[in-house]
Amino acid sequence: MATVNVADLRPVKETELHALKERLARHLPHSLPVSNTDSLTPQQVVYGCVSLAVRYGLHSLQPASILVPAAPRPSSLTIIVPTGGPQCIEVFWSTEEHTPQEMAHYLSCIPHLDWSQPVYILSLLSALLPSLQSQASIGGQQVQVQTTFQGNLYSLQVPATLGKELLPKYQVTSLREEDALQVWTNWEFNDLDSVDNMSNDITRFPSVGIREHNPEDGVSLLEKKTEKTLVSWVHLSKPGWIGNTFTMPQHRRKGLAGVATLTLACKVLQEGLLPFVFIGNHNIASIKFHEALGFKRQCEAYTVKVVPAEATD
């Protein structure tokens, strides 16, 4: 196993992003859109975040940052911190480049993380899980690794064609900054993010919101400007995935989510990025929904919680 000198972490520079993306691509060559949809291999969330930084600039990820080793020899180790609320990170490394002892050191160098409290690692590839589970201590703290969420990454190369159009009362738009609270409130995992971060994602990355025209009683759409209520949405987030898909209950089963998701996927493809989603294995409805739109399963991934060894949950 090749190893690198253990050093501290530092923020990646804007001028280094393309080279970092290429190093990740050597481990994850599937991560860019390709024409051959029969040879898909695992998509990595960290790669998606770096791709966003390349496309939109490092400032688009704020308040998150991309950390890499300060050692002079470059490696694929990449850490995204924070991704949402406190104590949440995303990380990718090659087991051929870094020993478990080196990874324990690098994890302990992440700023602002308190390893005496739970730390969530989002969307970790299953191939990296044994290396993480082998860690007996991080940052001088005895720890244990718990898997809290198991799912799969799905990507879309060729969008499907929907069989029906939206009713005239609906309009496809982009999300706005003032929509952030509604989007965040209706997200199942909003304890891992904040309204401010949601607002940043909505204003900096592609999104789709479907709004309903609400004309006043007795007034036609042509006679007066109408109020438009947000009823369905989906957006691109800092990890690079499409998510937070939601339709208000009274507007479901009308094809809104399908239109919103495919519209956003087409936007993402036009930006030179690969549309992908992370779905829990228990969420059969979401899996069937995305597969019907053309998404294909790529690989298994986990969200894990690193807790003090004496902690019980």
Side-chain angles (χ1 to χ4, degrees):
M1 175 185 293
T3 61
V4 299
N5 293 328
V6 177
D8 292 333
L9 296 168
R10 63 172 177 81
V12 71
K13 300 175 182 177
E14 195 94 34
T15 55
E16 298 172 320
L17 285 172
H18 281 284
L20 176 60
K21 182 178 174 182
E22 289 178 359
R23 289 197 297 274
L24 289 170
R26 286 197 287 270
H27 297 281
L28 310 158
H30 50 277
S31 299
L32 286 176
V34 294
S35 58
N36 183 4
T37 59
D38 296 326
S39 59
L40 293 177
T41 52
Q43 164 74 27
Q44 218 318 346
V45 171
V46 168
Y47 185 98
C49 186
V50 173
S51 297
L52 288 187
V54 170
R55 174 64 183 85
Y56 300 107
L58 275 173
H59 69 279
S60 67
L61 301 182
Q62 294 176 351
S65 59
I66 300 177
L67 303 179
V68 294
R73 179 180 174 180
S75 76
S76 63
L77 171 59
T78 309
I79 301 173
I80 316 299
V81 55
T83 58
Q87 302 283 98
C88 289
I89 66 171
E90 294 161 9
V91 59
F92 174 80
W93 70 94
S94 167
T95 56
E96 297 179 353
E97 294 175 339
H98 296 285
T99 66
Q101 292 77 16
E102 288 174 339
M103 281 311 303
H105 168 80
Y106 283 123
L107 290 173
S108 69
C109 291
I110 300 174
H112 315 306
L113 285 191
D114 178 5
W115 293 96
S116 68
Q117 301 296 321
V119 175
Y120 286 89
I121 301 179
L122 309 181
S123 308
L124 185 75
L125 287 183
S126 57
L128 299 178
L129 187 58
S131 178
L132 183 64
Q133 290 173 327
S134 71
Q135 306 298 333
S137 67
I138 301 176
Q141 175 71 49
Q142 298 295 310
V143 298
Q144 59 181 358
V145 176
Q146 303 173 350
T147 57
T148 63
F149 187 87
Q150 182 178 356
N152 283 274
L153 295 165
Y154 296 76
S155 73
L156 180 69
Q157 297 286 343
V158 180
T161 301
L162 291 178
K164 59 181 179 181
E165 297 181 354
L166 290 181
L167 295 174
K169 68 177 181 177
Y170 294 116
Q171 178 184 15
V172 178
T173 66
S174 295
L175 291 173
R176 306 163 185 160
E177 186 175 3
E178 57 266 28
D179 297 323
L181 180 59
Q182 181 178 353
V183 173
W184 179 84
T185 301
N186 288 283
W187 184 35
E188 180 183 0
F189 302 107
N190 60 18
D191 58 329
L192 296 179
D193 210 337
S194 67
V195 178
D196 288 341
N197 277 346
M198 189 76 69
S199 177
N200 289 338
D201 290 352
I202 286 172
T203 55
R204 294 169 180 171
F205 305 130
S207 65
V208 171
I210 297 181
R211 303 178 194 275
E212 181 190 27
H213 296 280
N214 295 314
E216 295 181 5
D217 292 341
V219 179
S220 70
L221 289 173
L222 297 177
E223 291 175 327
K224 191 169 183 176
K225 184 177 179 180
T226 62
E227 178 186 355
K228 298 172 184 176
T229 303
L230 181 65
V231 298
S232 185
W233 57 82
V234 63
H235 69 89
L236 196 63
S237 59
K238 278 186 283 293
W241 61 41
I242 290 176
N244 299 6
T245 309
F246 191 85
T247 300
M248 300 302 289
Q250 62 271 34
H251 296 275
R252 292 174 183 171
R253 302 190 181 280
K254 298 179 182 179
L256 304 188
V259 170
T261 301
L262 284 184
T263 300
L264 180 56
C266 289
K267 286 185 179 183
V268 171
L269 286 168
Q270 289 170 359
E271 294 289 288
L273 304 169
L274 182 65
F276 69 97
V277 293
F278 180 33
I279 309 174
N281 292 341
H282 67 283
N283 197 343
I284 304 302
S286 182
I287 293 172
K288 291 182 177 179
F289 167 77
H290 286 91
E291 287 182 338
L293 297 180
F295 284 82
K296 293 186 178 181
R297 178 186 178 276
Q298 292 193 5
C299 72
E300 192 173 50
Y302 296 85
T303 291
V304 303
K305 182 167 65 171
V306 182
V307 299
E310 67 274 10
T312 56
D313 190 342

Tab-separated table of all heavy atoms in Angstrom, residues 24 27-28 30-31 41-51 78 90-93 122-126 128 153 239-241 274 276 298-299 301:
chain	number	residue	atom	x	y	z
A	24	LEU	N	-9.980	12.494	-8.234
A	24	LEU	CA	-11.166	11.745	-7.832
A	24	LEU	C	-11.691	10.898	-8.982
A	24	LEU	O	-12.144	9.767	-8.784
A	24	LEU	CB	-12.249	12.705	-7.340
A	24	LEU	CG	-11.997	13.374	-5.995
A	24	LEU	CD1	-13.019	14.482	-5.747
A	24	LEU	CD2	-12.043	12.367	-4.857
A	27	HIS	N	-10.444	7.406	-9.463
A	27	HIS	CA	-11.087	6.396	-8.618
A	27	HIS	C	-12.564	6.240	-8.976
A	27	HIS	O	-13.153	5.189	-8.740
A	27	HIS	CB	-10.969	6.792	-7.141
A	27	HIS	CG	-9.557	6.862	-6.660
A	27	HIS	ND1	-8.824	5.740	-6.322
A	27	HIS	CD2	-8.736	7.922	-6.462
A	27	HIS	CE1	-7.610	6.107	-5.946
A	27	HIS	NE2	-7.531	7.416	-6.007
A	28	LEU	N	-13.141	7.294	-9.532
A	28	LEU	CA	-14.572	7.330	-9.818
A	28	LEU	C	-14.798	7.807	-11.249
A	28	LEU	O	-15.388	8.863	-11.489
A	28	LEU	CB	-15.258	8.294	-8.838
A	28	LEU	CG	-14.901	8.061	-7.360
A	28	LEU	CD1	-15.155	9.313	-6.542
A	28	LEU	CD2	-15.669	6.889	-6.829
A	30	HIS	N	-16.753	7.105	-13.493
A	30	HIS	CA	-18.151	7.086	-13.902
A	30	HIS	C	-18.854	8.404	-13.624
A	30	HIS	O	-20.016	8.574	-13.968
A	30	HIS	CB	-18.868	6.013	-13.085
A	30	HIS	CG	-18.552	6.213	-11.640
A	30	HIS	ND1	-17.390	5.715	-11.087
A	30	HIS	CD2	-19.155	6.945	-10.684
A	30	HIS	CE1	-17.322	6.110	-9.826
A	30	HIS	NE2	-18.371	6.849	-9.561
A	31	SER	N	-18.225	9.338	-12.964
A	31	SER	CA	-18.940	10.452	-12.365
A	31	SER	C	-19.376	11.525	-13.350
A	31	SER	O	-20.163	12.395	-13.004
A	31	SER	CB	-18.080	11.101	-11.268
A	31	SER	OG	-17.810	10.155	-10.263
A	41	THR	N	-20.981	2.730	-13.055
A	41	THR	CA	-20.332	2.256	-11.836
A	41	THR	C	-20.559	3.301	-10.756
A	41	THR	O	-21.106	4.369	-11.030
A	41	THR	CB	-18.829	2.041	-12.078
A	41	THR	OG1	-18.279	3.220	-12.661
A	41	THR	CG2	-18.591	0.861	-13.002
A	42	PRO	N	-20.160	3.073	-9.512
A	42	PRO	CA	-20.607	3.917	-8.400
A	42	PRO	C	-20.325	5.407	-8.525
A	42	PRO	O	-19.249	5.829	-8.901
A	42	PRO	CB	-19.834	3.332	-7.203
A	42	PRO	CG	-19.614	1.918	-7.582
A	42	PRO	CD	-19.371	1.942	-9.056
A	43	GLN	N	-21.315	6.199	-8.231
A	43	GLN	CA	-21.194	7.659	-8.183
A	43	GLN	C	-20.855	8.072	-6.761
A	43	GLN	O	-21.386	7.526	-5.814
A	43	GLN	CB	-22.530	8.300	-8.606
A	43	GLN	CG	-22.676	9.766	-8.254
A	43	GLN	CD	-21.844	10.644	-9.151
A	43	GLN	OE1	-21.577	10.280	-10.274
A	43	GLN	NE2	-21.436	11.791	-8.655
A	44	GLN	N	-19.952	9.030	-6.581
A	44	GLN	CA	-19.569	9.468	-5.239
A	44	GLN	C	-20.053	10.883	-4.989
A	44	GLN	O	-19.890	11.767	-5.812
A	44	GLN	CB	-18.058	9.421	-5.098
A	44	GLN	CG	-17.493	8.966	-3.751
A	44	GLN	CD	-18.191	9.508	-2.528
A	44	GLN	OE1	-18.957	10.429	-2.579
A	44	GLN	NE2	-17.902	8.930	-1.395
A	45	VAL	N	-20.629	11.076	-3.813
A	45	VAL	CA	-21.180	12.375	-3.458
A	45	VAL	C	-20.094	13.439	-3.357
A	45	VAL	O	-20.296	14.577	-3.771
A	45	VAL	CB	-21.966	12.264	-2.129
A	45	VAL	CG1	-22.362	13.627	-1.615
A	45	VAL	CG2	-23.199	11.394	-2.334
A	46	VAL	N	-18.927	13.101	-2.811
A	46	VAL	CA	-17.843	14.079	-2.692
A	46	VAL	C	-17.445	14.602	-4.071
A	46	VAL	O	-17.198	15.794	-4.255
A	46	VAL	CB	-16.635	13.463	-1.959
A	46	VAL	CG1	-15.401	14.354	-2.079
A	46	VAL	CG2	-16.973	13.249	-0.487
A	47	TYR	N	-17.407	13.716	-5.057
A	47	TYR	CA	-17.092	14.146	-6.417
A	47	TYR	C	-18.127	15.159	-6.901
A	47	TYR	O	-17.787	16.148	-7.567
A	47	TYR	CB	-17.063	12.940	-7.357
A	47	TYR	CG	-16.636	13.274	-8.767
A	47	TYR	CD1	-15.326	13.074	-9.182
A	47	TYR	CD2	-17.535	13.798	-9.676
A	47	TYR	CE1	-14.927	13.392	-10.467
A	47	TYR	CE2	-17.145	14.125	-10.961
A	47	TYR	CZ	-15.845	13.919	-11.359
A	47	TYR	OH	-15.461	14.245	-12.636
A	48	GLY	N	-19.391	14.909	-6.570
A	48	GLY	CA	-20.440	15.839	-6.981
A	48	GLY	C	-20.244	17.222	-6.392
A	48	GLY	O	-20.450	18.231	-7.063
A	49	CYS	N	-19.821	17.294	-5.134
A	49	CYS	CA	-19.587	18.576	-4.483
A	49	CYS	C	-18.414	19.306	-5.127
A	49	CYS	O	-18.481	20.514	-5.381
A	49	CYS	CB	-19.331	18.355	-2.998
A	49	CYS	SG	-19.208	19.883	-2.043
A	50	VAL	N	-17.330	18.587	-5.414
A	50	VAL	CA	-16.176	19.204	-6.080
A	50	VAL	C	-16.572	19.682	-7.470
A	50	VAL	O	-16.155	20.759	-7.913
A	50	VAL	CB	-15.004	18.206	-6.147
A	50	VAL	CG1	-13.855	18.759	-6.994
A	50	VAL	CG2	-14.509	17.885	-4.743
A	51	SER	N	-17.389	18.919	-8.169
A	51	SER	CA	-17.857	19.331	-9.494
A	51	SER	C	-18.644	20.627	-9.423
A	51	SER	O	-18.525	21.498	-10.301
A	51	SER	CB	-18.722	18.224	-10.116
A	51	SER	OG	-17.963	17.054	-10.324
A	78	THR	N	-10.513	13.871	0.281
A	78	THR	CA	-11.293	15.100	0.190
A	78	THR	C	-12.358	15.080	1.272
A	78	THR	O	-13.086	14.094	1.416
A	78	THR	CB	-11.977	15.225	-1.190
A	78	THR	OG1	-10.995	15.018	-2.217
A	78	THR	CG2	-12.623	16.588	-1.361
A	90	GLU	N	-18.732	15.068	4.862
A	90	GLU	CA	-18.671	14.090	3.785
A	90	GLU	C	-17.196	13.855	3.494
A	90	GLU	O	-16.393	14.789	3.549
A	90	GLU	CB	-19.382	14.601	2.534
A	90	GLU	CG	-20.882	14.753	2.740
A	90	GLU	CD	-21.507	15.661	1.691
A	90	GLU	OE1	-20.802	16.024	0.734
A	90	GLU	OE2	-22.683	16.014	1.852
A	91	VAL	N	-16.823	12.628	3.193
A	91	VAL	CA	-15.405	12.328	3.009
A	91	VAL	C	-15.218	11.204	2.001
A	91	VAL	O	-16.029	10.274	1.928
A	91	VAL	CB	-14.742	11.969	4.364
A	91	VAL	CG1	-15.418	10.762	4.994
A	91	VAL	CG2	-13.244	11.710	4.195
A	92	PHE	N	-14.161	11.321	1.200
A	92	PHE	CA	-13.741	10.235	0.322
A	92	PHE	C	-12.227	10.115	0.409
A	92	PHE	O	-11.498	11.103	0.462
A	92	PHE	CB	-14.131	10.482	-1.135
A	92	PHE	CG	-13.576	9.430	-2.064
A	92	PHE	CD1	-14.194	8.208	-2.177
A	92	PHE	CD2	-12.407	9.655	-2.776
A	92	PHE	CE1	-13.668	7.208	-2.994
A	92	PHE	CE2	-11.870	8.670	-3.600
A	92	PHE	CZ	-12.503	7.447	-3.710
A	93	TRP	N	-11.737	8.870	0.440
A	93	TRP	CA	-10.306	8.619	0.374
A	93	TRP	C	-10.090	7.281	-0.319
A	93	TRP	O	-11.017	6.479	-0.466
A	93	TRP	CB	-9.675	8.604	1.766
A	93	TRP	CG	-10.042	7.428	2.630
A	93	TRP	CD1	-9.344	6.248	2.773
A	93	TRP	CD2	-11.206	7.287	3.465
A	93	TRP	NE1	-9.988	5.411	3.642
A	93	TRP	CE2	-11.129	6.013	4.084
A	93	TRP	CE3	-12.293	8.128	3.760
A	93	TRP	CZ2	-12.109	5.557	4.953
A	93	TRP	CZ3	-13.267	7.672	4.619
A	93	TRP	CH2	-13.174	6.407	5.216
A	122	LEU	N	-21.938	11.576	5.977
A	122	LEU	CA	-23.040	11.359	5.047
A	122	LEU	C	-22.583	10.632	3.790
A	122	LEU	O	-21.511	10.914	3.242
A	122	LEU	CB	-23.664	12.703	4.652
A	122	LEU	CG	-24.062	13.645	5.799
A	122	LEU	CD1	-24.680	14.924	5.250
A	122	LEU	CD2	-25.020	12.952	6.760
A	123	SER	N	-23.394	9.704	3.345
A	123	SER	CA	-23.237	9.037	2.040
A	123	SER	C	-21.864	8.429	1.845
A	123	SER	O	-21.205	8.639	0.827
A	123	SER	CB	-23.532	10.041	0.916
A	123	SER	OG	-24.770	10.660	1.114
A	124	LEU	N	-21.409	7.666	2.803
A	124	LEU	CA	-20.110	7.004	2.709
A	124	LEU	C	-20.251	5.737	1.872
A	124	LEU	O	-21.125	4.907	2.131
A	124	LEU	CB	-19.602	6.650	4.105
A	124	LEU	CG	-18.202	6.058	4.187
A	124	LEU	CD1	-17.152	7.155	3.986
A	124	LEU	CD2	-17.985	5.363	5.524
A	125	LEU	N	-19.375	5.576	0.879
A	125	LEU	CA	-19.426	4.371	0.061
A	125	LEU	C	-19.179	3.131	0.922
A	125	LEU	O	-18.335	3.148	1.820
A	125	LEU	CB	-18.395	4.435	-1.053
A	125	LEU	CG	-18.696	5.393	-2.213
A	125	LEU	CD1	-17.611	5.288	-3.262
A	125	LEU	CD2	-20.047	5.073	-2.837
A	126	SER	N	-19.870	2.046	0.605
A	126	SER	CA	-19.751	0.826	1.399
A	126	SER	C	-18.326	0.283	1.395
A	126	SER	O	-17.883	-0.333	2.370
A	126	SER	CB	-20.721	-0.233	0.876
A	126	SER	OG	-20.492	-0.491	-0.503
A	128	LEU	N	-15.671	1.879	1.780
A	128	LEU	CA	-14.861	2.598	2.763
A	128	LEU	C	-15.301	2.325	4.198
A	128	LEU	O	-14.613	2.705	5.138
A	128	LEU	CB	-14.909	4.100	2.490
A	128	LEU	CG	-14.377	4.548	1.131
A	128	LEU	CD1	-14.533	6.055	0.965
A	128	LEU	CD2	-12.928	4.135	0.948
A	153	LEU	N	-27.141	5.049	-4.416
A	153	LEU	CA	-27.053	6.198	-5.297
A	153	LEU	C	-27.588	5.799	-6.669
A	153	LEU	O	-27.260	4.726	-7.185
A	153	LEU	CB	-25.607	6.674	-5.400
A	153	LEU	CG	-25.016	7.221	-4.099
A	153	LEU	CD1	-23.502	7.322	-4.200
A	153	LEU	CD2	-25.607	8.577	-3.767
A	239	PRO	N	-24.005	18.724	-1.703
A	239	PRO	CA	-23.381	17.432	-2.017
A	239	PRO	C	-23.416	17.077	-3.498
A	239	PRO	O	-22.841	16.073	-3.903
A	239	PRO	CB	-24.203	16.437	-1.194
A	239	PRO	CG	-24.773	17.254	-0.083
A	239	PRO	CD	-25.067	18.593	-0.693
A	240	GLY	N	-24.120	17.883	-4.301
A	240	GLY	CA	-24.192	17.624	-5.727
A	240	GLY	C	-25.385	16.799	-6.149
A	240	GLY	O	-25.596	16.528	-7.329
A	241	TRP	N	-26.202	16.378	-5.176
A	241	TRP	CA	-27.330	15.523	-5.534
A	241	TRP	C	-28.617	16.330	-5.691
A	241	TRP	O	-28.770	17.431	-5.188
A	241	TRP	CB	-27.529	14.402	-4.518
A	241	TRP	CG	-27.826	14.823	-3.104
A	241	TRP	CD1	-28.645	15.836	-2.678
A	241	TRP	CD2	-27.310	14.212	-1.911
A	241	TRP	NE1	-28.683	15.893	-1.319
A	241	TRP	CE2	-27.869	14.911	-0.808
A	241	TRP	CE3	-26.462	13.138	-1.657
A	241	TRP	CZ2	-27.566	14.566	0.513
A	241	TRP	CZ3	-26.176	12.814	-0.349
A	241	TRP	CH2	-26.734	13.522	0.714
A	274	LEU	N	-23.742	15.499	-13.594
A	274	LEU	CA	-24.519	14.261	-13.662
A	274	LEU	C	-25.622	14.282	-12.621
A	274	LEU	O	-25.345	14.388	-11.426
A	274	LEU	CB	-23.614	13.060	-13.426
A	274	LEU	CG	-24.267	11.676	-13.504
A	274	LEU	CD1	-24.768	11.409	-14.914
A	274	LEU	CD2	-23.295	10.586	-13.083
A	276	PHE	N	-27.951	12.936	-9.924
A	276	PHE	CA	-28.040	11.723	-9.120
A	276	PHE	C	-28.782	11.994	-7.826
A	276	PHE	O	-28.914	13.136	-7.384
A	276	PHE	CB	-26.659	11.113	-8.853
A	276	PHE	CG	-25.766	11.905	-7.935
A	276	PHE	CD1	-25.679	11.591	-6.591
A	276	PHE	CD2	-24.995	12.944	-8.421
A	276	PHE	CE1	-24.842	12.310	-5.741
A	276	PHE	CE2	-24.151	13.660	-7.580
A	276	PHE	CZ	-24.079	13.344	-6.238
A	298	GLN	N	-26.660	2.680	-8.874
A	298	GLN	CA	-25.221	2.599	-9.084
A	298	GLN	C	-24.509	1.852	-7.974
A	298	GLN	O	-23.789	0.903	-8.234
A	298	GLN	CB	-24.630	4.006	-9.204
A	298	GLN	CG	-25.073	4.710	-10.472
A	298	GLN	CD	-24.252	5.946	-10.741
A	298	GLN	OE1	-23.293	6.231	-10.042
A	298	GLN	NE2	-24.641	6.691	-11.739
A	299	CYS	N	-24.668	2.276	-6.733
A	299	CYS	CA	-23.925	1.615	-5.667
A	299	CYS	C	-24.574	1.881	-4.324
A	299	CYS	O	-25.414	2.768	-4.175
A	299	CYS	CB	-22.471	2.092	-5.631
A	299	CYS	SG	-22.278	3.775	-5.023
A	301	ALA	N	-24.500	3.006	-0.382
A	301	ALA	CA	-23.836	4.014	0.448
A	301	ALA	C	-24.549	4.091	1.792
A	301	ALA	O	-25.706	3.683	1.923
A	301	ALA	CB	-23.836	5.372	-0.237
